[in-house]
Amino acid sequence: MTDTTVRVPGREAPPGAAPARRGWTVALAGLGALLCSLDVVVVATALPALRADFGASLSDLEWTINAYNLVFACLTLTGAALGDRFGRRRMYVVGLAVFTLASAGAALSGGPGPLIAARMVQGAGAAVLLPLTLTLISEAFPAEKRGVAIGVWGGVTGLGVAAGPVLGGAVTEGLSWQWIFWLNVPTGLAMLPLAATKLRESHGPRPQLDVVGLLLAAAGLAGLAWAPVRAPEAGWGSAEVVGTLVAGVVCVTAFLWWERSGARYPMLPLRHFRNRGFTTANAAAFLVFGSLLGALFMITQLFQVGLGYSPLQAGVRILVWNAMPLLVAPVAGALADRYGTRLFMLTGLLLQAVGLGLLAWQVEPGVGYGHLVGPLIVAGVGISLVFPSVANAVTSSVPLGDAGVAAGVNNALRELGGVFGIAAAAIVFTTYGGYASPRAFADGCGPALWVTAGAAALGAVVAAFAPSRGVVEVRHRGWTSGG
C-alpha cells in the first residue's frame, strides 16, 4: 500500500499518520539527529590524539570540526529544498547513505587533509538528513502533540551531545580515534531499510527547485563561514578573509533579492522573517550554537591539556554538562506546549551564560573538578531548555507546508553559529594563551570561555523579544502569526 500525504493549508498533521507510524517517525528522526549531533562533538575529545598522531596544527584541529559544520551550514537549505521537491523520505534515505559512506572514509583517513575532506562529505549528508528529521516529525504529529515529539527529538539530540565526549574519549583511549567514525557505519546500514519502509513520504508545496536560490544561498553562506574559520591563521585584515566576507554578503544580498523578486517558487519565502517568532528563534539558535560549540572546543581541551586528564576521564567529567539535554529536553518540550517557548528559550540562554561565565571565572592550572561541576550542570540545564524550545518555535511559526524550509533555515543558522563560535574562541585563545604550558593554556581558555558566555547572554536578549507562543493562523489568502 502506498502512503500519500494530504496537503492542507493549515497546521494539521496528515490524517494517515497512525500512532505506530508516528513511533517509527520519532525513532528514526531521533536516530538521524543523534548521528548528526554526535559527529559534531565526538571529534572534540579526540583533538589531542589527532594533534599527536598527525602532528596537526591548531588550524587543522579547527578544520576537523569546522569542515563538517561549514558544509552543513552551506547546504542545509539545499537539503530541505530537495526533500520538499523529491520527497522527504527519499532524501532522508539519500542523506543517511551519504553520511554513512563518508564516515567510513573518515575512518580510513591517513592524514589531516583526507580526514577534513571526508568530514566535508559527512557535512553534506547531514545537511540533507538533519532538517528532514524535524519536517518528518511536523508532518506526523498534530500541533497539540508536536511539542512532546520535538522534546523527545531534542532529548535524543542531547544524547548525541552528551555521548559525544564520553564515546570519543572511550574509543580514542581504548581503541583508536578511527573508531569514532567506524561506529556510524553499522548504525547507518541498519537504519537505511527501516527509513525506506517505515517513514511516510511527503512533499513540500513547491513543484520546482529554485536552482538560482540554491546556488546563491550556498555561495553566500560559504563566504560568511569561511572568513571566521580562516581569520585566526590569515588575519582579519587579509585579502582572503575580507574578500570572502564581501563575497558572502554580496551573494546573500543577491539571494534575498532573488527570493523576493525573481524566483517563481522561492526556496525561502521572506515573509517568514516578518514573523517575530520565526526570526527570534533563528537568531537564538545562531547564538546558542556559537556559544555551545565554542565552549565545547575549549572545554574538551581544558580537561586534557590544561588539567592532564586522559580522553576518557575528560569525557566522563564533561558528561554532567552534556547529559542534561537527555534528562531535561523532553520535559521542556512538553511544557513549552503549555506555557509557550519564550520562557524556556530565555531561561535556558540565561542559565547557559551564567554557567559558562562561572566556568571561565574558575579556570586556572590545577583547578579541582569540584569547582567546575556546578557551572557545567547550570550550563547543561540551560542548553536543555533551549534545544526543544527553539525547534518548536521555528516549526510552529510557519504553515505546515513550509516546515522543511523552516527547519533548513534553523539548521543553517545553527551550524553557521557553531563555525563562528569555534573561530571566535580560537582567536581569543591564541591572543591570550597557547599550548606551551598548562598556565599558557589556562590564560587563553578563560577569556575564550567568557566570549562563549557573552554569546549566550546576547541570545537571551534576543529571546526576550520572542512571542510567548509561536502559533500560526492560516487564512484563505496569506498568513499571520499569533502570540
Side-chain angles (χ1 to χ4, degrees):
M1 181 175 179
T2 302
D3 287 321
T4 58
T5 298
V6 179
R7 298 190 191 108
V8 294
R11 294 295 305 175
E12 297 81 17
R21 190 174 294 278
R22 289 176 183 167
W24 277 111
T25 300
V26 171
L28 289 167
L31 283 172
L34 172 64
L35 288 177
C36 295
S37 60
L38 185 66
D39 266 60
V40 174
V41 298
V42 73
V43 181
T45 317
L47 290 177
L50 288 170
R51 189 159 67 95
D53 197 5
F54 291 153
S57 65
L58 176 62
S59 177
D60 290 332
L61 297 181
E62 282 187 82
W63 274 109
T64 60
I65 298 177
N66 277 337
Y68 180 88
N69 291 339
L70 179 66
V71 175
F72 198 158
C74 295
L75 296 184
T76 189
L77 279 175
T78 301
L82 291 173
D84 283 354
R85 173 65 182 85
F86 297 111
R88 289 153 178 165
R89 178 180 64 189
R90 180 181 294 124
M91 294 312 301
Y92 180 94
V93 171
V94 169
L96 180 60
V98 171
F99 184 91
T100 303
L101 181 63
S103 296
L108 294 170
S109 300
L115 176 59
I116 289 168
R119 291 282 286 166
M120 293 177 72
V121 180
Q122 266 193 316
V128 176
L129 187 60
L130 187 58
L132 294 180
T133 62
L134 272 177
T135 310
L136 290 166
I137 289 175
S138 295
E139 283 281 348
F141 286 84
E144 65 273 11
K145 296 181 179 179
R146 197 169 297 131
V148 177
I150 290 177
V152 173
W153 173 91
V156 174
T157 302
L159 175 62
V161 176
V166 179
L167 182 62
V171 170
T172 300
E173 189 173 332
L175 297 169
S176 68
W177 63 262
Q178 286 88 347
W179 281 92
I180 64 180
F181 299 111
W182 279 126
L183 292 175
N184 293 334
V185 177
T187 306
L189 291 176
M191 289 173 60
L192 283 168
L194 291 172
T197 56
K198 299 297 185 180
L199 293 176
R200 182 184 184 86
E201 186 62 283
S202 63
H203 296 77
R206 283 164 282 280
Q208 295 178 7
L209 278 179
D210 175 16
V211 177
V212 174
L214 290 177
L215 294 175
L216 288 173
L221 290 172
L224 293 178
W226 182 272
V229 169
R230 288 288 296 145
E233 187 171 342
W236 280 102
S238 67
E240 177 187 357
V241 171
V242 173
T244 52
L245 271 178
V246 171
V249 171
V250 169
C251 288
V252 168
T253 303
F255 168 73
L256 295 175
W257 173 86
W258 172 258
E259 296 299 288
R260 182 180 181 87
S261 305
R264 184 177 182 184
Y265 298 103
M267 63 180 290
L268 177 58
L270 296 184
R271 66 180 183 274
H272 293 333
F273 287 98
R274 295 198 298 267
N275 184 318
R276 188 157 49 95
F278 182 80
T279 301
T280 53
N282 278 301
F286 177 89
L287 291 164
V288 73
F289 267 78
S291 172
L292 173 62
L293 292 188
L296 183 68
F297 182 75
M298 296 311 308
I299 291 170
T300 53
Q301 296 184 79
L302 168 67
F303 277 86
Q304 295 176 73
V305 179
L307 302 181
Y309 293 116
S310 71
L312 178 58
Q313 290 171 333
V316 170
R317 282 163 175 78
I318 295 170
L319 192 61
V320 297
W321 175 34
N322 287 338
M324 289 297 109
L326 179 63
L327 303 175
V328 179
V331 178
L335 293 176
D337 279 341
R338 178 177 297 181
Y339 299 108
T341 55
R342 179 176 61 192
L343 173 64
F344 294 93
M345 281 195 292
L346 176 59
T347 304
L349 282 158
L350 286 173
L351 288 176
Q352 185 172 349
V354 169
L356 292 178
L358 290 173
L359 195 70
W361 183 48
Q362 296 284 353
V363 168
E364 61 181 21
V367 62
Y369 180 65
H371 291 90
L372 305 179
V373 64
L376 287 171
I377 291 174
V378 171
V381 172
I383 60 174
S384 305
L385 299 178
V386 178
F387 276 170
S389 302
V390 165
N392 199 354
V394 168
T395 54
S396 65
S397 62
V398 301
L400 184 58
D402 283 338
V405 171
V409 172
N410 185 245
N411 282 288
L413 290 172
R414 278 173 42 167
E415 299 309 315
L416 195 62
V419 170
F420 272 84
I422 292 172
I427 289 170
V428 174
F429 171 73
T430 55
T431 300
Y432 292 96
Y435 291 109
S437 66
R439 165 57 65 186
F441 187 90
D443 288 343
C445 184
L449 288 175
W450 278 117
V451 170
T452 65
L458 183 58
V461 173
V462 171
F465 292 93
S468 59
R469 297 181 183 273
V471 180
V472 170
E473 177 190 354
V474 181
R475 296 178 177 172
H476 180 65
R477 301 179 67 178
W479 63 275
T480 59
S481 63

